[in-house]
Amino acid sequence: MRSDGILGGSDQNRATSVVVASRRRWLKRRETWLVVLGVALHAVYMLSIFDIYFKTPIVHGMDPVPPRFSEPPAKRLVLLISDGLRADKFFEPDVDGNYRAPFLRNVIKNQGRWGVSHARPPTESRPGHVAIIAGFYEDPSAVTKGWKANPVEFDSVFNRSRHTFAYGSPDIIPIFCSALPHSTWNSYPHEYEDFATDASFLDEWSFDQFESLLNRSHEDPKLKELLHQDKLVVFLHLLGCDSNGHAHRPYSSIYLNNVKVVDKIAERVYHLLEDYYRDNRTSYIFTADHGMSDKGSHGDGHPTNTDTPLVAWGAGIKYPKPASGSSHSDSVTTFVDKHAHDMPTPYDWGLNRVERVDVNQADIAPLMSTLLGLPGPVNSVGNLPLGYMKLNEAEEVEAVLANTKQILNQLLRKSHIKMSNSLFFKPFKPLVHHSSSLSQIDELISAKSYEAAMKLAVDLRNLSLEGLHYFQTYDWLMLMTVITLGYSGWMIVLALHVLKCYSSLSGDLSRKEQLSVQKKDSGKAYLSGFLLMTILSVLNLVEHSPPLYHAYIGMTIFLWTQIFSEYRLIRGLWRYLRKRKAGYFLKLLFAAAVSVVIVELLVHSFTERKLYTWFFLIAGVVASILLHFSIPWRSGIPVFVCLSCWFISVFTLMPAEIPDNNNLVVISGAIIIVISLAAKWLDTHAEGNKFWQSITFHESRKPMCSMLYCIQIFLVGVSSVMVFLSTKHRTQNQELHSSHQFINWLVAGSSMVLPLFSGNGILSRLSSIFLGFAPPFLLLSIGYEAVFYSGLAVVLMAWILFENASHHSSKAKDSSLSEQNTEEHVTIGNDERYLQLSDVRIPLIFMVLFNVAFFGTGNFASIASFEISSVYRFITIFSPFLMAALLIFKLFIPFMLVICAFSAITKLVRVPRLGCYFLVILFSDIMTIHFFFLVKNTGSWMEIGNSISHFGIVSAQVVFVLLLFALTNLYTRSIRVKPLSTSPFLKTL
């Protein structure tokens, strides 16, 4: 009876030693080439997200469009932005029933208009101010160029003004004014931003600077002349609420008192300017860039962060109107934060009877421009909120038309750029005849059909916004198709390689005559691929495509050329599958379904660690049931496997922020010693048992092994004691004792060398590796992660026992496997057999455990993973590179355990480790494609960053796992497994 490989059994002639050696050299060269190709492919495709998701929406070369007013509504505009002010904290009363902003409430009820301005995530200071002042939302290309500085030049209301006066934070004011010649500005030093104090004095500083400016104008005629010109903007940035919210939370008395401070500043600014000018030609706008969560943070899309107050009054602003209906906006578009907004105004705000007009944050920019009669910022995507403006019907249409033309000009510019560089240009069809729409609007205005003209202008504006999105994502379909085809091609190449080199099908394909035919087919495929690549490269050159476009397309064509060059293998696979019975396809379908479920579990585990808890709870039950039927005698192994899985399931329920618990780390040392004693007893007393002999086999018993084991136990004990002593001394004396530091370095360094001299049986070597890495891990631990180390080791032992039981069970059912192995050794290796369909479980289990090692106590992005106190037993003087190296080494230790166990299992069940490695990469790339489509260019910085890091982490596994394989090979290459007996008899435990 012959065991089926992935493609089933096939007859195989015994090759000569020369042919075998030649084939092995060919296999080594091919796999080296595959690894190099995989590294290059993942590096190139990883960059594709920046060409797809993080391309700047900003274009230049558009003409500004001023509104056609006989006279603008205002001569000057005051913009007051209270950084980090939440809408609810601004509008609601305090505990005594008094409102915190009495002046602005009076404005809302008697002088102006109000509403909620909806910010789009990321709700941070820079993107919020850019939206208000420049009218567009965060440039996604900023992710590659830093968050604070401007990634590209853009237009703003300040640019279009005659002169801008700005005072406030050094993080905000220079963004808009440092390169603006017609501006007068100042910012306080960074040292003023002290979270330990009440930051409301920063708001007072901004007001004092502006008041001082006006006072100086009485003695400076040039300054006074400048202040009396039109199209002026005054910008006061009030940082107090943001700083106090971060330091004291938005429900603190300091934050809530800061709301009263900004209200008082708004009142003082209003009276100061009205007394100074006395012409009623000043417009005032009060708002915030973002809100503040209850935790004192911001950035995401929670309503506490996106909802900000907006109050406008003065020249050109409508007076209050009684509330009518439930709608809070005259905008036909949805709000950018995607929350429900037609909810009734909260009763405790006391504003239910006053009409509320909500806006998108970017709508404030065209509002300010129109009030001053300025062209809107050329990159703005804001819709003019007519609900705030006091204009006659003709002026309203002209204002909306100017807003529409400004957005349309961006569309036309993007269309022109794309058309001039495209051979097969696809225009935005709804606006192909935009000129006729503009002419029709002008005709309606001339005929004083203002309502019809307004409807056409608004419709044209909405279509222009859709068109901007169309051109922003113009290349998405092409690029995503190319990248997806590339990843798919790479996975098919890996699958074909495994089938060709590690399945029983390779026997037929290794015949010389078939290889010669294969070379002819390969030549045709390569020639066709080269011609196609040349044609597409020429097209890309003609279209002035970025250089990386050539790399994406070239890599994809090359991979599919490789696939078509294996035409005969694919045809042979097809013929083989056609001959199989329904039972085989059911097995194949079941294996595929399990693989998909596990891969999807791994994908979702990046955002929900608790999934591992459910996985191990279920896996423990399933594995124990399978073992119960696999082992034909009473055994405690199923119970051990179940309990070990349940034990490790607890850790992914624990917080990623590991609390300090020095006693738990010390106890973990004792747990490690107990586990190692149990392994030593088993290694010593179970060697004669036929079930255990595969993992307890030793080619020779070295006398020094027992002494080495005792030394390792001693070092674990010393490290546990040093954890207690080092921490206690450092806590009491605020320093690390030099003798403690020396001992810690000595113990950690020497312990990792000792496993190289241990016995070469699976259990003895893995136990020694477990003990060898325990001292450095304990010395780098601060809490429960030390117990996780033992839990992971126990689960890895359970995995080895499961594989050992399954392997012996299959041998009992098929006593002829040993004979077939003899044949297979010719083409694969001296101790390896062909892969079977059931062997897919090995790379899948490895991936789960590898990710558990990654997420079991947090991850690279968590606070816990980089808790600096972890290194204090080795170094306390700040040394960023050494500290970072120690922290990363701590994270790598669980990975090392998993890969050592994986290598041991491949030897135990006699499967090729590289074949399993390629299957790991194949499954990882299924995850990579998934994360490729989950990359975000909107949301908080954390959401954007996490989506990029998830994609990067799985993309890098092709290199990361291989490097760890090479490193752990030092410890596992000498592991030996006793040749399997042909007898199916298994001795009872």
Side-chain angles (χ1 to χ4, degrees), residues 414-423 425 542-544:
K414 288 193 172 189
S415 177
H416 173 74
I417 293 171
K418 184 58 66 176
M419 183 172 60
S420 61
N421 293 327
S422 299
L423 292 177
F425 176 69
V542 171
E543 294 190 346
H544 304 287

Side-chain angles (χ1 to χ4, degrees), residues 248-269:
H248 308 288
R249 306 297 183 266
Y251 45 79
S252 66
S253 59
I254 292 179
Y255 179 91
L256 298 176
N257 183 68
N258 208 144
V259 179
K260 299 177 181 179
V261 172
V262 296
D263 179 72
K264 194 66 178 176
I265 288 175
E267 181 179 12
R268 292 163 68 188
V269 168

Side-chain angles (χ1 to χ4, degrees), residues 624 627-628 630-641 691-692 801 805 987-989:
S624 61
L627 286 173
H628 177 74
S630 298
I631 302 176
W633 62 87
R634 295 185 64 184
S635 170
I637 294 177
V639 176
F640 169 77
V641 170
F691 177 81
W692 294 102
L801 293 177
K987 185 179 178 181
T988 303
L989 280 174

Side-chain angles (χ1 to χ4, degrees), residues 641-679:
V641 170
C642 184
L643 292 178
S644 63
C645 288
W646 287 4
F647 178 63
I648 202 171
S649 70
V650 175
F651 291 95
T652 46
L653 293 175
M654 294 183 179
E657 295 81 8
I658 301 175
D660 287 358
N661 193 329
N662 199 47
N663 294 329
L664 190 59
V665 178
V666 175
I667 293 171
S668 299
I671 296 173
I672 290 170
I673 293 174
V674 170
I675 292 173
S676 60
L677 288 172

Side-chain angles (χ1 to χ4, degrees), residues 79 81-84 124-136 154 172-173 175-176 235-239 288-290 361:
L79 174 62
I81 296 182
S82 180
D83 203 309
E124 303 283 353
S125 291
R126 192 193 72 155
H129 282 83
V130 169
I132 293 168
I133 299 167
F136 70 91
F154 58 82
I172 297 299
I173 301 299
I175 290 177
F176 300 95
F235 171 40
L236 298 187
H237 176 249
L238 311 176
L239 184 65
D289 55 346
H290 56 75
Q361 197 170 61

Side-chain angles (χ1 to χ4, degrees), residues 795-927:
V795 164
L796 292 174
M797 186 61 204
W799 183 23
I800 292 171
L801 293 177
F802 178 84
E803 293 295 342
N804 189 43
S806 300
H807 190 54
H808 276 268
S809 176
S810 65
K811 299 303 288 181
K813 295 176 182 177
D814 187 0
S815 61
S816 66
L817 184 59
S818 177
E819 179 183 351
Q820 181 165 334
N821 277 344
T822 304
E823 297 177 1
E824 292 169 352
H825 292 166
V826 176
T827 53
I828 297 184
N830 295 328
D831 299 313
E832 295 170 350
R833 62 172 173 80
Y834 286 134
L835 286 170
Q836 303 174 12
L837 183 61
S838 59
D839 292 326
V840 171
R841 74 182 182 279
I842 296 174
L844 286 172
I845 295 174
F846 167 77
M847 288 180 65
V848 172
L849 292 173
F850 192 81
N851 280 273
V852 166
F854 191 80
F855 289 110
T857 58
N859 57 70
F860 283 133
S862 75
I863 297 171
S865 300
F866 290 100
E867 176 55 58
I868 196 68
S869 61
S870 297
V871 305
Y872 286 168
R873 299 185 189 105
F874 291 95
I875 183 173
T876 53
I877 298 172
F878 183 68
S879 177
F881 294 107
L882 179 57
M883 287 179 166
L886 287 170
L887 289 169
I888 292 173
F889 175 67
K890 174 191 174 184
L891 298 176
F892 277 10
I893 290 175
F895 298 150
M896 302 274 282
L897 288 186
V898 174
I899 291 182
C900 286
F902 174 77
S903 299
I905 285 171
T906 58
K907 292 193 175 190
L908 174 66
V909 299
R910 290 175 168 78
V911 294
R913 188 172 71 156
L914 270 176
C916 290
Y917 163 75
F918 287 123
L919 289 177
V920 167
I921 300 306
L922 190 153
F923 289 127
S924 294
D925 282 327
I926 297 175
M927 296 171 60

